[in-house]
Amino acid sequence: MQRFPFVASIAAQVVEAGRRLAVFVRSREGVSTIEYALITVAVIAIVGGAIGLLSGGFNDLFGDLNNELGNAVSNMKKAATS
């Protein structure tokens, strides 16, 4: 009597999944799909890197804008109470 009977079933499923993956990769559709996936990953990496590089500039821009608007509101309040 096997102690873990489900292990043989899982092993068979893993082997079958590997066989299907090998067939998929060898087919032309599989190659196209993998190429598109790699292109997508590259585009995401480039966009992510660009956002990372530009985020400091955007923070400075909006920080300056916030300060200028705050100063304008403060000056308007002073002018209204004078």
Side-chain angles (χ1 to χ4, degrees), residues 6-36:
F6 59 88
V7 173
S9 173
I10 293 172
Q13 290 175 357
V14 169
V15 169
E16 178 63 19
R19 187 189 65 74
R20 288 182 182 183
L21 180 63
V23 169
F24 177 74
V25 169
R26 280 189 221 120
S27 72
R28 185 64 198 144
E29 292 174 3
V31 172
S32 295
T33 304
I34 292 169
E35 289 169 352
Y36 287 128

Side-chain angles (χ1 to χ4, degrees), residues 23 32 35 39-40 42 52 61-62 67 73 82:
V23 169
S32 295
E35 289 169 352
I39 291 169
T40 303
L61 172 70
F62 288 113
N67 290 336
V73 168
S82 300

Side-chain angles (χ1 to χ4, degrees), residues 67-77:
N67 290 336
E68 291 297 323
L69 289 173
N71 291 338
V73 168
S74 183
N75 290 338
M76 290 175 65
K77 286 181 181 178

